[in-house]
Amino acid sequence: MLIITDRDIAVPMKEADKPEEKAEEFMRMAEGETQSLTIVANAPGMVFQYVLGEDAQHTLPFISGQCLNVLGISVETLRANPGLFMDIVLLEDRESLWRSMAQSATDLSTWNWEGRLWIESFHDVKWVSLRASPRREKGIGVIWEGIIINITQSRRRETELKESHERLREVSSHIIAAREHERIRIAQEIHDDLGGNLTAIKIDLDWLGRHLTDEDAVLLAKIHTIDQLVDRTIDSIRRMSRDLRPGIMDFGIVPAIEWEAEEFSKRLGIPCEVVCAQEDIELDQDAAVAVFRIFQEALTNIAKHGRASHVWVRLDADMSAKGWLDLEVRDNGRGIMPADTKKFNSFGIRGMIERAGLLDGKLTVSGAPGEGATVRLSIPLGPGPHDLATSRSNICPS
Ligand SMILES: Nc1ncnc2c1ncn2[C@@H]1O[C@H](COP(=O)(O)OP(=O)(O)OP(=O)(O)O)[C@@H](O)[C@H]1O
Ligand SMILES: [Mg+2]
């Protein structure tokens, strides 16, 4: 770091013996100092030397000309009153400035600070970054040499990016919640409307059958065929409503997972073992639906891509104040590669990660070719109910 004061910049480094050597040495040093001053003048910020005296006095022996650009204060004004710097630091950021300086003075570590200044001449707040190296000198105190740079642009971009992520998160949370509500509504309509009509058709078919004689054998056979078709349609409707809004969810997440695993086994003939130490895990509705949907997608993926002959499910939870829930779905199929999880037109894993993130949880998908695939979900079970609209992201695809 440069050590420069505006009073005495040419500090002899070494004594030269002969006059001509002295002259050469002087020329070299003068050249060096000029270069140093040029570097300081062109530095992308305000270079300074700051002294915290043994008598607790603050002085600024050197401040580069960028002072006016960075702080909106002239070099002379600031040198005459070093306290002005603290005055323009926003109240909320003053403590961190003091703390970082005190820490640096105590252990002589680099003084790093980022904070906001009120720049009167711009009528605006500016973000700055301060970085300085300290050393202790007997009889003087702690001396820092460093630089303050304007980081407003990058901070603004960072803030905008954060806000835009937050907005996206809110939209996605809204879409997920709206989709669940829509599913419930459609399930209800299918059940009430189509189910009701089909039951009425069955009653009419029964009536027709009773009013035909044995001589109408062809018509009776037709009625029988139609009746069977109606039964199959009622079964399909039940299945569709159940997929849209599994009624088993009303019994809790553990029975719902066990039931879904059993259905999967029956449908595909693949054993799906569920291990869960708890009889049930108390979850609020949003979290329960999210966990269940993640589980459904994990099973759907095994059915679609896994070519597995066995599936293991582990569900575990800690219900203490800082509790958590873990769900692991492992298969022994063809395995999965990291690139699979980022396929352009695939949204299942993305959706699982998104749902986990909305619960402040973490979802990973791992595996290797021939070694099966494992989906791991972990979510915190805080004291309050999860709020899909306000929860933050902490997602980690692997
Ligand atoms: N259990 C699994 N075993 C093997 N490969 C898997 C497994 N699960 C996922 N994959 C691979 O990861 C890819 C991405 O899965 P993802 O669920 O995101 O999309 P998808 O199932 O292809 O389509 P969808 O958007 O309908 O879910 C799959 O296409 C598949 O190649
Ligand atoms: Mg999928």
Side-chain angles (χ1 to χ4, degrees):
M1 194 66 233
L2 294 161
I3 306 164
I4 303 161
T5 73
D6 61 348
R7 279 169 298 185
D8 183 10
I9 55 171
V11 182
M13 307 294 279
K14 141 181 151 216
E15 279 304 326
D17 293 324
K18 297 179 192 154
E20 56 280 19
E21 283 174 5
K22 261 189 179 171
E24 270 175 33
E25 175 105 14
F26 178 78
M27 290 302 287
R28 272 200 308 275
M29 280 176 57
E31 207 173 297
E33 295 298 348
T34 313
Q35 277 177 6
S36 301
L37 283 175
T38 311
I39 292 168
V40 167
N42 292 331
M46 182 191 108
V47 177
F48 66 91
Q49 186 182 55
Y50 170 62
V51 178
L52 174 61
E54 285 175 347
D55 54 359
Q57 287 298 309
H58 304 267
T59 47
L60 282 161
F62 177 78
I63 307 167
S64 74
Q66 288 280 357
C67 182
L68 195 60
N69 275 342
V70 179
L71 307 183
I73 307 173
S74 72
V75 173
E76 298 72 32
T77 312
L78 188 61
R79 279 202 60 194
N81 183 4
L84 274 182
F85 179 70
M86 190 50 101
D87 290 348
I88 62 169
V89 174
L90 293 199
L91 277 176
E92 307 93 286
D93 294 349
R94 285 185 193 174
E95 202 200 321
S96 69
L97 177 64
W98 276 118
R99 236 188 303 113
S100 58
M101 187 190 72
Q103 183 71 46
S104 171
T106 309
D107 57 16
L108 296 183
S109 58
T110 306
W111 179 11
N112 281 319
W113 176 77
E114 279 187 10
R116 289 157 298 172
L117 309 178
W118 172 255
I119 310 295
E120 188 56 42
S121 49
F122 304 158
H123 287 284
D124 203 359
V125 169
K126 197 186 243 188
W127 272 95
V128 293
S129 163
L130 178 156
R131 196 176 164 85
S133 310
R135 65 201 154 84
R136 196 181 298 281
E137 290 227 346
K138 228 175 167 187
I140 300 177
V142 184
I143 305 167
W144 283 271
E145 280 95 20
I147 188 165
I148 297 178
I149 54 173
N150 181 0
I151 55 164
T152 311
Q153 285 293 337
S154 61
R155 272 291 184 152
R156 227 168 244 164
R157 274 196 293 272
E158 224 172 82
T159 314
E160 279 167 12
L161 205 64
K162 244 189 221 156
E163 282 170 3
S164 134
H165 275 157
E166 203 47 52
R167 278 198 297 276
L168 267 178
R169 176 150 299 283
E170 279 167 20
V171 170
S172 130
S173 136
H174 176 76
I175 290 172
I176 286 177
R179 208 169 56 189
E180 283 306 331
H181 289 140
E182 194 60 6
R183 278 178 157 167
I184 293 171
R185 195 187 62 78
I186 295 171
Q188 200 74 48
E189 293 233 325
I190 287 179
H191 176 270
D192 296 352
D193 199 1
L194 293 186
N197 287 349
L198 286 168
T199 310
I201 291 172
K202 260 186 93 65
I203 293 167
D204 284 350
L205 284 174
D206 182 58
W207 183 91
L208 263 181
R210 277 190 284 108
H211 285 79
L212 291 175
T213 59
D214 289 346
E215 280 147 38
D216 302 311
V218 179
L219 286 177
L220 281 170
K222 200 74 192 164
I223 286 172
H224 183 65
T225 314
I226 297 172
D227 193 48
Q228 280 182 328
L229 192 63
V230 172
D231 281 343
R232 283 208 300 277
T233 313
I234 288 174
D235 280 349
S236 303
I237 279 176
R238 278 206 192 109
R239 206 187 53 248
M240 277 189 240
S241 314
R242 207 179 49 213
D243 286 349
L244 285 165
R245 203 278 176 227
I248 188 77
M249 288 290 294
D250 297 338
F251 296 93
I253 189 67
V254 178
I257 295 273
E258 283 170 343
W259 175 82
E260 187 71 11
E262 215 177 293
E263 287 292 303
F264 172 88
S265 278
K266 273 195 255 166
R267 224 171 30 242
L268 288 129
I270 302 173
C272 183
E273 283 174 46
V274 179
V275 174
C276 179
Q278 288 87 355
E279 223 164 76
D280 199 14
I281 298 163
E282 212 177 299
L283 283 184
D284 69 76
Q285 189 63 16
D286 285 340
V289 170
V291 172
F292 188 73
R293 294 291 184 213
I294 286 171
F295 181 58
Q296 277 185 319
E297 175 60 22
L299 289 187
T300 305
N301 275 351
I302 294 171
K304 256 165 74 178
H305 317 287
R307 290 189 225 134
S309 62
H310 211 116
V311 180
W312 296 267
V313 180
R314 188 180 58 78
L315 185 62
D316 201 3
D318 169 27
M319 303 305 289
S320 66
K322 284 194 170 177
W324 41 260
L325 173 143
D326 278 354
L327 172 70
E328 186 183 280
V329 185
R330 185 165 61 87
D331 70 64
N332 65 348
R334 71 175 176 94
I336 188 166
M337 296 288 287
D340 290 334
T341 64
K342 299 180 182 77
K343 280 185 183 169
F344 183 66
N345 256 336
S346 294
F347 297 98
I349 293 173
R350 284 191 184 94
M352 290 199 271
I353 290 172
E354 189 68 19
R355 282 190 190 268
L358 291 170
L359 297 171
D360 284 344
K362 178 172 157 175
L363 187 131
T364 60
V365 180
S366 57
E371 290 176 20
T374 306
V375 172
R376 273 192 201 92
L377 165 74
S378 185
I379 55 166
L381 299 180
H386 292 280
D387 180 352
L388 280 182
T390 56
S391 55
R392 298 181 319 279
S393 161
N394 178 19
I395 51 182
C396 172
S398 70

